[in-house]
Amino acid sequence: GVCLAGKQPLNTMSDGSNQKDFIENADGSLLLDHKGQPISVDKFLSTKPLRKEVSTRQGPGGMKLSYMGGDVITKTLNEAFGYDGWSLEVKDKTQLDPMKDDKGRYIVAFTATVRITHLRTGAFREDCGAGDAIDRSLASASGNALKGAVTDAMKRAARHFGEKLGNSLYHDDFSVNKAPNTLKDACDMLDLERAKGRFGFDKDRKKMIP
């Protein structure tokens, strides 16, 4: 699907001034990294998902595909924006004509478009998804297909907010076996990647040191 994004950037107030958001603990205190520094929402969303947050399934030709479940995406959105800091809106849904298989079961498919909005800034991401289901009950098949389409669209929209929400899974070099085990590992990996991007690889820097 094609992502639609709001014009107002994340962590920017309506008057255009910058205001960093930080990740909070359950008691309202700021979540600190292992260096004692508060973790901004921007940095949190830029880290890779943890290994425990990524699942795998068999794909075409025996390929192993990595994915994040809808429950993990919801949990991560709550951690990043707060449970009352974001909204999910179904912008459109379309049901394809139901069919019956040779066993008399209904085959139903839906497509859906959803929008996820960060309420404080108004920044939003929008994308589409699809879902299908088979059941002897038309109502059950329809409900499960629609739920699948909305969940698929939610995951696709959420990934445009950052690597933590699944965007990193689309990179060719992503491997679940190399995913960080802890948030500390994830922050260290991000810091190293940013340093390499700005200053070159460690071995290259060492060559330049007299």
Side-chain angles (χ1 to χ4, degrees):
V2 178
C3 171
L4 181 62
K7 293 181 180 179
Q8 195 163 299
L10 191 63
N11 292 334
T12 300
M13 297 296 285
S14 58
D15 62 2
S17 61
N18 291 328
Q19 178 177 318
K20 285 257 187 179
D21 287 333
F22 293 93
I23 302 297
E24 295 183 353
N25 293 305
D27 62 1
S29 61
L30 294 182
L31 176 65
L32 304 180
D33 64 15
H34 55 294
K35 300 175 183 177
Q37 298 298 314
I39 301 175
S40 68
V41 171
D42 175 68
K43 182 171 184 177
F44 180 73
L45 293 177
S46 296
T47 62
K48 289 181 171 60
L50 305 184
R51 185 176 301 185
K52 65 182 181 181
E53 296 171 334
V54 180
S55 301
T56 58
R57 61 179 175 83
Q58 286 294 112
M63 288 181 56
K64 183 177 289 187
L65 302 178
S66 300
Y67 70 96
M68 296 176 69
D71 57 332
V72 175
I73 296 297
T74 299
K75 178 177 179 291
T76 305
L77 285 167
N78 285 337
E79 290 176 339
F81 300 148
Y83 76 93
D84 58 351
W86 63 283
S87 67
L88 175 70
E89 179 184 359
V90 179
K91 302 294 292 184
D92 181 64
K93 62 180 185 294
T94 302
Q95 180 180 356
L96 306 183
D97 291 336
M99 299 183 295
K100 276 191 174 184
D101 63 10
D102 55 5
K103 296 181 180 180
R105 299 176 300 181
Y106 289 97
I107 304 174
V108 180
F110 267 93
T111 60
T113 299
V114 307
R115 174 180 293 186
I116 298 174
T117 302
H118 180 230
L119 297 179
R120 187 182 68 76
T121 63
F124 66 85
R125 302 293 184 267
E126 189 173 300
D127 215 323
C128 59
D132 58 73
I134 301 176
D135 199 283
R136 292 192 177 279
S137 164
L138 178 58
S140 295
S142 299
N144 290 333
L146 178 57
K147 181 174 68 173
V150 170
T151 299
D152 186 42
M154 179 190 71
K155 294 193 294 182
R156 289 173 178 267
R159 81 176 182 90
H160 298 292
F161 274 113
E163 305 301 299
K164 179 73 171 175
L165 283 161
N167 192 56
S168 57
L169 274 62
Y170 286 77
H171 300 328
D172 292 336
D173 60 349
F174 177 82
S175 171
V176 66
N177 295 324
K178 296 180 181 179
N181 288 311
T182 66
L183 184 56
K184 173 186 178 300
D185 295 337
C187 288
D188 283 342
M189 289 174 64
L190 176 63
D191 290 341
L192 181 60
E193 288 175 358
R194 286 180 170 176
K196 287 179 178 179
R198 291 172 182 167
F199 307 112
F201 290 93
D202 289 340
K203 61 182 180 65
D204 297 326
R205 291 206 303 276
K206 289 175 183 178
K207 291 179 182 178
M208 298 175 63
I209 300 175

